Amino acid sequence: MRRLVCLCALSVWLYIAVFAFLVDRPLSIGLLRLELDQKTARLARLPSPKLIILAGSNGPYSHACAVLGPMLGLPCENGGIAVGIGLDDLFARYAPYIRAGDVVYMPMELQQYTASRAAYRAGPDGAILLRHDRWLLPALPADRLAGAIFCCSADDLLEALAEMPLSHAVSAGARLAGEYNAAGDRIDNQRGGAGMARIAARAAPAVADVQAGYGTALIARFVAAERARGVIVIGGLPTAVSTLTLTPALVAAIADVYRAQGGGFLVLANRSQYPPVDFFNSPDHLVQACQYRHSMAVAAGLAVALGRTLHPAPAMMFLVAAGC
Amino acid sequence: MLFNSRLFVFGFLPVACLGFHLAGKCGRRAGLVWLLGCSLLFYAWWKPVLLLLLVASILVNFVVGRRVGPGAAGARYWLLAGLGFDLGLLGLFKYGGFVAGNLGLHWGGVLLPLGISFFTFQQIMYLVDTAKGESAAAPFLDYACFVAFFPHLIAGPLVRPSHILPQLARLDICRARLAAGLEIFILGLAKKIVLADAFGRLADPGFAAAAHGLPLTLIEAWVALLAYALEIYLDFSGYSDMAIGLAAMFGIEFPVNFDSPYRATSIAAFWRRWNITLGAFLRTYVYVPLGGNRAGEGRQLVNLMVTMLLGGLWHGAAWRFVLWGALHGMFLAVQRVSRRAGLAVPLWFSWALTWLCVVLAWVPFRAAGWAAAMGFYRGLFGGNGVAIPVIFVQLVPALAHVGRVVPALPNLGDARTLSLPQAILLLGFGWFVALARPGLHRMGQGGRSFAVVASFAFSLQALVFQPFAVPFLYFQF
């Protein structure tokens, strides 16, 4: 039995050493990290008051700072990265650069609310923390720390073995530059580009799951903290396929996450729902024309909520949006 | 309760083991009582009401088993009654819906009890072996433990009564091989949650696409099929290894159930390496009683086909399993005929042909239905063309002439740019393990130590940090 225990301990020790110091995934996790760093750096540079869009990938795919910023007359950063990146991590990175008077618009994906604590432990940012940001590990709760230490599966190891040699041929920076504009909006979502045309709605979560979700608690804590610092926080519905059934009770439960903490909540006439054909490669990602059209609708709603003058959309964007 | 769940590994198993060894201090009987209690709890965990079925089945077969021994009055009728009861139970719960559906009749939502095929076949073996005098009637506690012993209750391996009942009769709890059993269990767990589940994630999108009638391109179809062939092997052999390891922890030795089946050089050899205990069951309790190879060549081929059809049907009440069984029956028949005709081929060719037949036969086994299977075959044979991810064309521009260049293959893995390079690495590793490495039970101490070091941390990661345990494929059978 002693031999077996020693072998198991050696296995864990080697695992940690390999993922902390040896292998990396520069094209997947590395890309996320670079994106996170770029967005944080731009956020730090933008003057206040500014508009920040905070969500998962629904943020950059379905919302465009290139439209929202000019229409609201605010500098804008599209800070969404991807569902799965822990919101606690994301909030902690962005919070130092969000100041009183800034506007945070949060069209969080529905699964962000219902994400469990277990899902957070297994999130992809664990690999980033273990490989590159180990200095942040001691500040994490014990379960997140364990999740970061055991960040990676055997698939991830193989992925690393595929990515490490390919990273010399594929520049992560160049790839990001082809996917995002300077404000963090996704720009590679032209209709038909993904070669996938079967977008089906995700199932809507139960009201009770939203209310009890670990993600909900994190979002509510963030809203309360930012409101206390004088930041204007407005929640919103994520873009979704029109076949998704959004009950009034579900919308009310989501709105309550923000309103109960002193934030606002924006519900568009179409409840941010679009036909399946308007989506790019997932039920959270609009094609560019609809991304612009949706952003115009959001800008109009935010202008009312903020009491700001609504400027016309840039002519080029208007033309593109006409294709939706 | 799944062997690969946190509840089982961190809760049930330590308690069951500790209790067994403590109870063992009071004697064999106390140990067996504890073991039976744990096994019944294990079975009842999913649907407690189904425990009644298991207990009723054990009681009936035990009573019948007392009356079928050689020389007992009316033994033949008791045996027929016992077999009728077992097959009736199996027919009612497992095949009732299938038969009714094919006859256009309505069949209520009868729940398929977990492991019914396995505990029914165990007891059929007991009745037949007792009737033939090959197994002695056992005391009730031993018999109940033999059937309900949790390591093999849900998905086998099917163990001959003459193999396990004597072990239970002379069970020495102090000599249970805890460390050796735990090592096998850990390696079986790794096969399942590190490898099989990873191949499942690779196979599922392709088969799901075929189920939805979407056209699979050549690479997508082959990746999905090669991944599924590994998934089902590693899933089931992982389960069997876990069962063998668990049994050893309780002082019982189970037979090996898989012996590197994809290295078989003929279909007959494949069935001596794949689910060995089921193959032995079909041979002993179906093929031989049908006449085996004693009644002429034509009859032998018919017997082979019938046996494999029943073997296919045993896997599930659906035509796709029947088709899978028919394919294997046909392969066996062709092999038998070609051997008789004196057709000799090089060993490597024989292996390659066997491998190809086995792998291609997994299509109907896994596909959602006839149309999905045919659509999948169309993809495998290039009927939907070839699509190549752009990342490969960037590296080797000549590939652009081979097929359509796409950003990512939509039905492969998670449809990302790197899905194909990752799939190639994963499949390469999996097939290397399946074809070039010795099976777990043929490994030496050094090989096993290396395997534990290489896999334990990944198993721990998957066990603790994956959101849920993926059920074993063979649980549905």
PDB file of all heavy atoms in Angstrom, chain A residues 34-52 75-77 93-94 96-99 102 181-184:
ATOM      1  N   LEU A  34      -4.232  36.770 -23.424  1.00  0.00           N
ATOM      2  CA  LEU A  34      -3.824  37.971 -24.159  1.00  0.00           C
ATOM      3  C   LEU A  34      -5.010  38.920 -24.308  1.00  0.00           C
ATOM      4  O   LEU A  34      -4.878  40.139 -24.131  1.00  0.00           O
ATOM      5  CB  LEU A  34      -3.288  37.552 -25.536  1.00  0.00           C
ATOM      6  CG  LEU A  34      -2.695  38.660 -26.397  1.00  0.00           C
ATOM      7  CD1 LEU A  34      -1.485  39.281 -25.702  1.00  0.00           C
ATOM      8  CD2 LEU A  34      -2.250  38.107 -27.758  1.00  0.00           C
ATOM      9  N   GLU A  35      -6.167  38.323 -24.598  1.00  0.00           N
ATOM     10  CA  GLU A  35      -7.393  39.116 -24.749  1.00  0.00           C
ATOM     11  C   GLU A  35      -7.725  39.831 -23.436  1.00  0.00           C
ATOM     12  O   GLU A  35      -8.058  41.016 -23.421  1.00  0.00           O
ATOM     13  CB  GLU A  35      -8.516  38.150 -25.141  1.00  0.00           C
ATOM     14  CG  GLU A  35      -9.763  38.804 -25.653  1.00  0.00           C
ATOM     15  CD  GLU A  35     -10.818  37.766 -26.003  1.00  0.00           C
ATOM     16  OE1 GLU A  35     -10.453  36.616 -26.323  1.00  0.00           O
ATOM     17  OE2 GLU A  35     -12.003  38.103 -25.930  1.00  0.00           O
ATOM     18  N   LEU A  36      -7.596  39.075 -22.357  1.00  0.00           N
ATOM     19  CA  LEU A  36      -7.862  39.624 -21.018  1.00  0.00           C
ATOM     20  C   LEU A  36      -6.898  40.779 -20.728  1.00  0.00           C
ATOM     21  O   LEU A  36      -7.310  41.851 -20.255  1.00  0.00           O
ATOM     22  CB  LEU A  36      -7.659  38.492 -20.003  1.00  0.00           C
ATOM     23  CG  LEU A  36      -8.415  38.483 -18.691  1.00  0.00           C
ATOM     24  CD1 LEU A  36      -9.893  38.652 -18.901  1.00  0.00           C
ATOM     25  CD2 LEU A  36      -8.144  37.175 -17.953  1.00  0.00           C
ATOM     26  N   ASP A  37      -5.645  40.577 -21.040  1.00  0.00           N
ATOM     27  CA  ASP A  37      -4.629  41.616 -20.787  1.00  0.00           C
ATOM     28  C   ASP A  37      -4.878  42.851 -21.644  1.00  0.00           C
ATOM     29  O   ASP A  37      -4.794  43.989 -21.164  1.00  0.00           O
ATOM     30  CB  ASP A  37      -3.228  41.065 -21.083  1.00  0.00           C
ATOM     31  CG  ASP A  37      -2.766  40.076 -20.028  1.00  0.00           C
ATOM     32  OD1 ASP A  37      -3.437  39.993 -18.972  1.00  0.00           O
ATOM     33  OD2 ASP A  37      -1.767  39.369 -20.255  1.00  0.00           O
ATOM     34  N   GLN A  38      -5.198  42.610 -22.932  1.00  0.00           N
ATOM     35  CA  GLN A  38      -5.424  43.742 -23.833  1.00  0.00           C
ATOM     36  C   GLN A  38      -6.628  44.564 -23.384  1.00  0.00           C
ATOM     37  O   GLN A  38      -6.591  45.791 -23.370  1.00  0.00           O
ATOM     38  CB  GLN A  38      -5.651  43.247 -25.262  1.00  0.00           C
ATOM     39  CG  GLN A  38      -4.380  42.774 -25.951  1.00  0.00           C
ATOM     40  CD  GLN A  38      -4.625  42.336 -27.391  1.00  0.00           C
ATOM     41  OE1 GLN A  38      -5.767  42.291 -27.853  1.00  0.00           O
ATOM     42  NE2 GLN A  38      -3.549  42.008 -28.100  1.00  0.00           N
ATOM     43  N   LYS A  39      -7.694  43.870 -23.008  1.00  0.00           N
ATOM     44  CA  LYS A  39      -8.910  44.584 -22.616  1.00  0.00           C
ATOM     45  C   LYS A  39      -8.695  45.332 -21.309  1.00  0.00           C
ATOM     46  O   LYS A  39      -9.172  46.459 -21.138  1.00  0.00           O
ATOM     47  CB  LYS A  39     -10.082  43.608 -22.519  1.00  0.00           C
ATOM     48  CG  LYS A  39     -10.474  43.071 -23.887  1.00  0.00           C
ATOM     49  CD  LYS A  39     -11.811  42.386 -23.944  1.00  0.00           C
ATOM     50  CE  LYS A  39     -12.165  42.083 -25.402  1.00  0.00           C
ATOM     51  NZ  LYS A  39     -13.489  41.597 -25.612  1.00  0.00           N
ATOM     52  N   THR A  40      -7.972  44.705 -20.380  1.00  0.00           N
ATOM     53  CA  THR A  40      -7.691  45.376 -19.108  1.00  0.00           C
ATOM     54  C   THR A  40      -6.831  46.626 -19.351  1.00  0.00           C
ATOM     55  O   THR A  40      -7.088  47.685 -18.765  1.00  0.00           O
ATOM     56  CB  THR A  40      -6.959  44.409 -18.153  1.00  0.00           C
ATOM     57  OG1 THR A  40      -7.690  43.193 -18.102  1.00  0.00           O
ATOM     58  CG2 THR A  40      -6.854  44.966 -16.759  1.00  0.00           C
ATOM     59  N   ALA A  41      -5.856  46.504 -20.230  1.00  0.00           N
ATOM     60  CA  ALA A  41      -4.967  47.644 -20.502  1.00  0.00           C
ATOM     61  C   ALA A  41      -5.745  48.784 -21.152  1.00  0.00           C
ATOM     62  O   ALA A  41      -5.552  49.954 -20.801  1.00  0.00           O
ATOM     63  CB  ALA A  41      -3.824  47.184 -21.407  1.00  0.00           C
ATOM     64  N   ARG A  42      -6.629  48.458 -22.088  1.00  0.00           N
ATOM     65  CA  ARG A  42      -7.410  49.524 -22.748  1.00  0.00           C
ATOM     66  C   ARG A  42      -8.355  50.189 -21.768  1.00  0.00           C
ATOM     67  O   ARG A  42      -8.536  51.400 -21.782  1.00  0.00           O
ATOM     68  CB  ARG A  42      -8.192  48.935 -23.924  1.00  0.00           C
ATOM     69  CG  ARG A  42      -7.339  48.721 -25.170  1.00  0.00           C
ATOM     70  CD  ARG A  42      -8.208  48.602 -26.406  1.00  0.00           C
ATOM     71  NE  ARG A  42      -9.152  47.505 -26.287  1.00  0.00           N
ATOM     72  CZ  ARG A  42      -8.974  46.290 -26.794  1.00  0.00           C
ATOM     73  NH1 ARG A  42      -7.871  46.018 -27.457  1.00  0.00           N
ATOM     74  NH2 ARG A  42      -9.883  45.356 -26.642  1.00  0.00           N
ATOM     75  N   LEU A  43      -8.935  49.356 -20.895  1.00  0.00           N
ATOM     76  CA  LEU A  43      -9.849  49.884 -19.876  1.00  0.00           C
ATOM     77  C   LEU A  43      -9.110  50.892 -18.999  1.00  0.00           C
ATOM     78  O   LEU A  43      -9.651  51.943 -18.637  1.00  0.00           O
ATOM     79  CB  LEU A  43     -10.358  48.711 -19.030  1.00  0.00           C
ATOM     80  CG  LEU A  43     -11.675  48.870 -18.294  1.00  0.00           C
ATOM     81  CD1 LEU A  43     -12.799  49.206 -19.256  1.00  0.00           C
ATOM     82  CD2 LEU A  43     -12.007  47.590 -17.539  1.00  0.00           C
ATOM     83  N   ALA A  44      -7.886  50.562 -18.667  1.00  0.00           N
ATOM     84  CA  ALA A  44      -7.099  51.444 -17.807  1.00  0.00           C
ATOM     85  C   ALA A  44      -6.805  52.774 -18.503  1.00  0.00           C
ATOM     86  O   ALA A  44      -6.674  53.809 -17.847  1.00  0.00           O
ATOM     87  CB  ALA A  44      -5.787  50.748 -17.439  1.00  0.00           C
ATOM     88  N   ARG A  45      -6.724  52.744 -19.821  1.00  0.00           N
ATOM     89  CA  ARG A  45      -6.355  53.961 -20.564  1.00  0.00           C
ATOM     90  C   ARG A  45      -7.548  54.870 -20.857  1.00  0.00           C
ATOM     91  O   ARG A  45      -7.375  56.056 -21.091  1.00  0.00           O
ATOM     92  CB  ARG A  45      -5.691  53.567 -21.887  1.00  0.00           C
ATOM     93  CG  ARG A  45      -4.264  53.068 -21.757  1.00  0.00           C
ATOM     94  CD  ARG A  45      -3.552  53.126 -23.090  1.00  0.00           C
ATOM     95  NE  ARG A  45      -4.219  52.328 -24.107  1.00  0.00           N
ATOM     96  CZ  ARG A  45      -3.951  51.046 -24.338  1.00  0.00           C
ATOM     97  NH1 ARG A  45      -3.035  50.423 -23.625  1.00  0.00           N
ATOM     98  NH2 ARG A  45      -4.577  50.392 -25.280  1.00  0.00           N
ATOM     99  N   LEU A  46      -8.767  54.297 -20.885  1.00  0.00           N
ATOM    100  CA  LEU A  46      -9.932  55.101 -21.291  1.00  0.00           C
ATOM    101  C   LEU A  46     -10.264  56.148 -20.230  1.00  0.00           C
ATOM    102  O   LEU A  46     -10.258  55.852 -19.037  1.00  0.00           O
ATOM    103  CB  LEU A  46     -11.157  54.202 -21.488  1.00  0.00           C
ATOM    104  CG  LEU A  46     -11.232  53.370 -22.765  1.00  0.00           C
ATOM    105  CD1 LEU A  46     -12.568  52.652 -22.834  1.00  0.00           C
ATOM    106  CD2 LEU A  46     -11.042  54.230 -24.004  1.00  0.00           C
ATOM    107  N   PRO A  47     -10.576  57.377 -20.677  1.00  0.00           N
ATOM    108  CA  PRO A  47     -10.980  58.402 -19.701  1.00  0.00           C
ATOM    109  C   PRO A  47     -12.401  58.149 -19.197  1.00  0.00           C
ATOM    110  O   PRO A  47     -13.203  57.518 -19.891  1.00  0.00           O
ATOM    111  CB  PRO A  47     -10.908  59.683 -20.518  1.00  0.00           C
ATOM    112  CG  PRO A  47     -11.157  59.261 -21.934  1.00  0.00           C
ATOM    113  CD  PRO A  47     -10.574  57.901 -22.058  1.00  0.00           C
ATOM    114  N   SER A  48     -12.693  58.618 -18.025  1.00  0.00           N
ATOM    115  CA  SER A  48     -14.049  58.499 -17.473  1.00  0.00           C
ATOM    116  C   SER A  48     -14.805  59.797 -17.765  1.00  0.00           C
ATOM    117  O   SER A  48     -14.178  60.853 -17.874  1.00  0.00           O
ATOM    118  CB  SER A  48     -13.983  58.262 -15.969  1.00  0.00           C
ATOM    119  OG  SER A  48     -13.485  56.986 -15.707  1.00  0.00           O
ATOM    120  N   PRO A  49     -16.115  59.788 -17.866  1.00  0.00           N
ATOM    121  CA  PRO A  49     -16.951  58.593 -17.790  1.00  0.00           C
ATOM    122  C   PRO A  49     -16.855  57.777 -19.078  1.00  0.00           C
ATOM    123  O   PRO A  49     -16.726  58.325 -20.149  1.00  0.00           O
ATOM    124  CB  PRO A  49     -18.350  59.168 -17.616  1.00  0.00           C
ATOM    125  CG  PRO A  49     -18.304  60.513 -18.258  1.00  0.00           C
ATOM    126  CD  PRO A  49     -16.912  61.019 -18.079  1.00  0.00           C
ATOM    127  N   LYS A  50     -16.928  56.469 -18.924  1.00  0.00           N
ATOM    128  CA  LYS A  50     -16.844  55.575 -20.078  1.00  0.00           C
ATOM    129  C   LYS A  50     -17.902  54.482 -19.957  1.00  0.00           C
ATOM    130  O   LYS A  50     -18.483  54.285 -18.869  1.00  0.00           O
ATOM    131  CB  LYS A  50     -15.454  54.946 -20.143  1.00  0.00           C
ATOM    132  CG  LYS A  50     -15.040  54.161 -18.913  1.00  0.00           C
ATOM    133  CD  LYS A  50     -13.617  53.661 -19.044  1.00  0.00           C
ATOM    134  CE  LYS A  50     -13.084  53.017 -17.772  1.00  0.00           C
ATOM    135  NZ  LYS A  50     -12.763  53.990 -16.721  1.00  0.00           N
ATOM    136  N   LEU A  51     -18.124  53.824 -21.056  1.00  0.00           N
ATOM    137  CA  LEU A  51     -19.075  52.707 -21.072  1.00  0.00           C
ATOM    138  C   LEU A  51     -18.287  51.404 -21.167  1.00  0.00           C
ATOM    139  O   LEU A  51     -17.362  51.297 -21.970  1.00  0.00           O
ATOM    140  CB  LEU A  51     -20.008  52.839 -22.287  1.00  0.00           C
ATOM    141  CG  LEU A  51     -20.965  51.678 -22.553  1.00  0.00           C
ATOM    142  CD1 LEU A  51     -21.996  51.536 -21.441  1.00  0.00           C
ATOM    143  CD2 LEU A  51     -21.689  51.868 -23.899  1.00  0.00           C
ATOM    144  N   ILE A  52     -18.662  50.452 -20.307  1.00  0.00           N
ATOM    145  CA  ILE A  52     -18.000  49.140 -20.337  1.00  0.00           C
ATOM    146  C   ILE A  52     -19.085  48.082 -20.521  1.00  0.00           C
ATOM    147  O   ILE A  52     -20.067  48.059 -19.776  1.00  0.00           O
ATOM    148  CB  ILE A  52     -17.252  48.873 -19.013  1.00  0.00           C
ATOM    149  CG1 ILE A  52     -16.241  49.987 -18.758  1.00  0.00           C
ATOM    150  CG2 ILE A  52     -16.569  47.508 -19.029  1.00  0.00           C
ATOM    151  CD1 ILE A  52     -16.200  50.409 -17.312  1.00  0.00           C
ATOM    152  N   PRO A  75     -16.620  57.104 -24.462  1.00  0.00           N
ATOM    153  CA  PRO A  75     -15.621  56.105 -24.841  1.00  0.00           C
ATOM    154  C   PRO A  75     -16.085  54.740 -24.329  1.00  0.00           C
ATOM    155  O   PRO A  75     -16.725  54.665 -23.269  1.00  0.00           O
ATOM    156  CB  PRO A  75     -14.344  56.567 -24.125  1.00  0.00           C
ATOM    157  CG  PRO A  75     -14.797  57.477 -23.048  1.00  0.00           C
ATOM    158  CD  PRO A  75     -16.107  58.077 -23.472  1.00  0.00           C
ATOM    159  N   CYS A  76     -15.770  53.704 -25.067  1.00  0.00           N
ATOM    160  CA  CYS A  76     -16.390  52.404 -24.747  1.00  0.00           C
ATOM    161  C   CYS A  76     -15.381  51.266 -24.870  1.00  0.00           C
ATOM    162  O   CYS A  76     -14.541  51.267 -25.772  1.00  0.00           O
ATOM    163  CB  CYS A  76     -17.558  52.181 -25.717  1.00  0.00           C
ATOM    164  SG  CYS A  76     -18.409  50.610 -25.525  1.00  0.00           S
ATOM    165  N   GLU A  77     -15.454  50.326 -23.963  1.00  0.00           N
ATOM    166  CA  GLU A  77     -14.638  49.111 -24.048  1.00  0.00           C
ATOM    167  C   GLU A  77     -15.558  47.902 -23.954  1.00  0.00           C
ATOM    168  O   GLU A  77     -16.378  47.791 -23.027  1.00  0.00           O
ATOM    169  CB  GLU A  77     -13.603  49.065 -22.911  1.00  0.00           C
ATOM    170  CG  GLU A  77     -12.803  47.778 -22.823  1.00  0.00           C
ATOM    171  CD  GLU A  77     -11.983  47.484 -24.090  1.00  0.00           C
ATOM    172  OE1 GLU A  77     -11.529  48.437 -24.747  1.00  0.00           O
ATOM    173  OE2 GLU A  77     -11.844  46.293 -24.434  1.00  0.00           O
ATOM    174  N   ARG A  93     -10.104  41.746 -11.971  1.00  0.00           N
ATOM    175  CA  ARG A  93      -9.133  42.368 -12.890  1.00  0.00           C
ATOM    176  C   ARG A  93      -9.611  43.735 -13.361  1.00  0.00           C
ATOM    177  O   ARG A  93      -8.813  44.649 -13.559  1.00  0.00           O
ATOM    178  CB  ARG A  93      -8.906  41.459 -14.108  1.00  0.00           C
ATOM    179  CG  ARG A  93      -8.084  40.225 -13.792  1.00  0.00           C
ATOM    180  CD  ARG A  93      -7.984  39.327 -15.020  1.00  0.00           C
ATOM    181  NE  ARG A  93      -7.509  37.991 -14.681  1.00  0.00           N
ATOM    182  CZ  ARG A  93      -6.258  37.566 -14.875  1.00  0.00           C
ATOM    183  NH1 ARG A  93      -5.350  38.372 -15.374  1.00  0.00           N
ATOM    184  NH2 ARG A  93      -5.910  36.331 -14.552  1.00  0.00           N
ATOM    185  N   TYR A  94     -10.947  43.869 -13.600  1.00  0.00           N
ATOM    186  CA  TYR A  94     -11.466  45.117 -14.167  1.00  0.00           C
ATOM    187  C   TYR A  94     -11.738  46.187 -13.104  1.00  0.00           C
ATOM    188  O   TYR A  94     -11.658  47.385 -13.407  1.00  0.00           O
ATOM    189  CB  TYR A  94     -12.770  44.850 -14.929  1.00  0.00           C
ATOM    190  CG  TYR A  94     -12.599  44.149 -16.267  1.00  0.00           C
ATOM    191  CD1 TYR A  94     -13.698  43.740 -17.015  1.00  0.00           C
ATOM    192  CD2 TYR A  94     -11.335  43.906 -16.808  1.00  0.00           C
ATOM    193  CE1 TYR A  94     -13.550  43.111 -18.241  1.00  0.00           C
ATOM    194  CE2 TYR A  94     -11.176  43.259 -18.033  1.00  0.00           C
ATOM    195  CZ  TYR A  94     -12.288  42.863 -18.741  1.00  0.00           C
ATOM    196  OH  TYR A  94     -12.157  42.235 -19.952  1.00  0.00           O
ATOM    197  N   PRO A  96     -10.339  47.729 -10.630  1.00  0.00           N
ATOM    198  CA  PRO A  96      -9.477  48.893 -10.361  1.00  0.00           C
ATOM    199  C   PRO A  96      -9.594  49.980 -11.428  1.00  0.00           C
ATOM    200  O   PRO A  96      -9.222  51.128 -11.153  1.00  0.00           O
ATOM    201  CB  PRO A  96      -8.063  48.285 -10.375  1.00  0.00           C
ATOM    202  CG  PRO A  96      -8.252  46.832 -10.126  1.00  0.00           C
ATOM    203  CD  PRO A  96      -9.566  46.484 -10.709  1.00  0.00           C
ATOM    204  N   TYR A  97     -10.104  49.654 -12.592  1.00  0.00           N
ATOM    205  CA  TYR A  97     -10.141  50.640 -13.683  1.00  0.00           C
ATOM    206  C   TYR A  97     -11.556  51.156 -13.951  1.00  0.00           C
ATOM    207  O   TYR A  97     -11.787  51.865 -14.922  1.00  0.00           O
ATOM    208  CB  TYR A  97      -9.550  50.022 -14.952  1.00  0.00           C
ATOM    209  CG  TYR A  97      -8.204  49.384 -14.679  1.00  0.00           C
ATOM    210  CD1 TYR A  97      -8.046  48.003 -14.699  1.00  0.00           C
ATOM    211  CD2 TYR A  97      -7.106  50.170 -14.317  1.00  0.00           C
ATOM    212  CE1 TYR A  97      -6.829  47.418 -14.399  1.00  0.00           C
ATOM    213  CE2 TYR A  97      -5.884  49.590 -14.009  1.00  0.00           C
ATOM    214  CZ  TYR A  97      -5.756  48.214 -14.049  1.00  0.00           C
ATOM    215  OH  TYR A  97      -4.555  47.641 -13.730  1.00  0.00           O
ATOM    216  N   ILE A  98     -12.489  50.756 -13.129  1.00  0.00           N
ATOM    217  CA  ILE A  98     -13.858  51.273 -13.258  1.00  0.00           C
ATOM    218  C   ILE A  98     -14.018  52.348 -12.184  1.00  0.00           C
ATOM    219  O   ILE A  98     -13.794  52.084 -10.997  1.00  0.00           O
ATOM    220  CB  ILE A  98     -14.902  50.139 -13.065  1.00  0.00           C
ATOM    221  CG1 ILE A  98     -14.664  49.032 -14.098  1.00  0.00           C
ATOM    222  CG2 ILE A  98     -16.308  50.695 -13.199  1.00  0.00           C
ATOM    223  CD1 ILE A  98     -15.548  47.805 -13.904  1.00  0.00           C
ATOM    224  N   ARG A  99     -14.417  53.532 -12.640  1.00  0.00           N
ATOM    225  CA  ARG A  99     -14.435  54.658 -11.692  1.00  0.00           C
ATOM    226  C   ARG A  99     -15.852  55.216 -11.550  1.00  0.00           C
ATOM    227  O   ARG A  99     -16.740  54.905 -12.357  1.00  0.00           O
ATOM    228  CB  ARG A  99     -13.470  55.741 -12.180  1.00  0.00           C
ATOM    229  CG  ARG A  99     -12.047  55.214 -12.283  1.00  0.00           C
ATOM    230  CD  ARG A  99     -11.051  56.229 -12.748  1.00  0.00           C
ATOM    231  NE  ARG A  99      -9.754  55.555 -12.945  1.00  0.00           N
ATOM    232  CZ  ARG A  99      -9.306  55.123 -14.127  1.00  0.00           C
ATOM    233  NH1 ARG A  99     -10.029  55.297 -15.210  1.00  0.00           N
ATOM    234  NH2 ARG A  99      -8.144  54.516 -14.223  1.00  0.00           N
ATOM    235  N   ASP A 102     -18.659  56.002 -14.337  1.00  0.00           N
ATOM    236  CA  ASP A 102     -18.613  55.064 -15.464  1.00  0.00           C
ATOM    237  C   ASP A 102     -19.936  54.302 -15.551  1.00  0.00           C
ATOM    238  O   ASP A 102     -20.645  54.145 -14.543  1.00  0.00           O
ATOM    239  CB  ASP A 102     -17.472  54.059 -15.288  1.00  0.00           C
ATOM    240  CG  ASP A 102     -16.105  54.683 -15.557  1.00  0.00           C
ATOM    241  OD1 ASP A 102     -16.063  55.817 -16.063  1.00  0.00           O
ATOM    242  OD2 ASP A 102     -15.089  54.035 -15.239  1.00  0.00           O
ATOM    243  N   ASN A 181     -11.774  44.556 -33.033  1.00  0.00           N
ATOM    244  CA  ASN A 181     -11.356  45.918 -33.339  1.00  0.00           C
ATOM    245  C   ASN A 181     -10.737  46.553 -32.085  1.00  0.00           C
ATOM    246  O   ASN A 181     -10.630  45.889 -31.038  1.00  0.00           O
ATOM    247  CB  ASN A 181     -12.518  46.746 -33.895  1.00  0.00           C
ATOM    248  CG  ASN A 181     -13.636  46.933 -32.870  1.00  0.00           C
ATOM    249  OD1 ASN A 181     -13.454  46.653 -31.682  1.00  0.00           O
ATOM    250  ND2 ASN A 181     -14.782  47.390 -33.321  1.00  0.00           N
ATOM    251  N   ALA A 182     -10.408  47.794 -32.176  1.00  0.00           N
ATOM    252  CA  ALA A 182      -9.675  48.448 -31.084  1.00  0.00           C
ATOM    253  C   ALA A 182     -10.529  48.639 -29.836  1.00  0.00           C
ATOM    254  O   ALA A 182      -9.999  48.924 -28.760  1.00  0.00           O
ATOM    255  CB  ALA A 182      -9.143  49.793 -31.561  1.00  0.00           C
ATOM    256  N   ALA A 183     -11.834  48.476 -29.971  1.00  0.00           N
ATOM    257  CA  ALA A 183     -12.700  48.653 -28.802  1.00  0.00           C
ATOM    258  C   ALA A 183     -13.112  47.313 -28.197  1.00  0.00           C
ATOM    259  O   ALA A 183     -13.914  47.271 -27.266  1.00  0.00           O
ATOM    260  CB  ALA A 183     -13.944  49.436 -29.205  1.00  0.00           C
ATOM    261  N   GLY A 184     -12.559  46.223 -28.738  1.00  0.00           N
ATOM    262  CA  GLY A 184     -12.863  44.909 -28.166  1.00  0.00           C
ATOM    263  C   GLY A 184     -14.079  44.233 -28.777  1.00  0.00           C
ATOM    264  O   GLY A 184     -14.535  43.206 -28.281  1.00  0.00           O
TER     265      GLY A 184
END
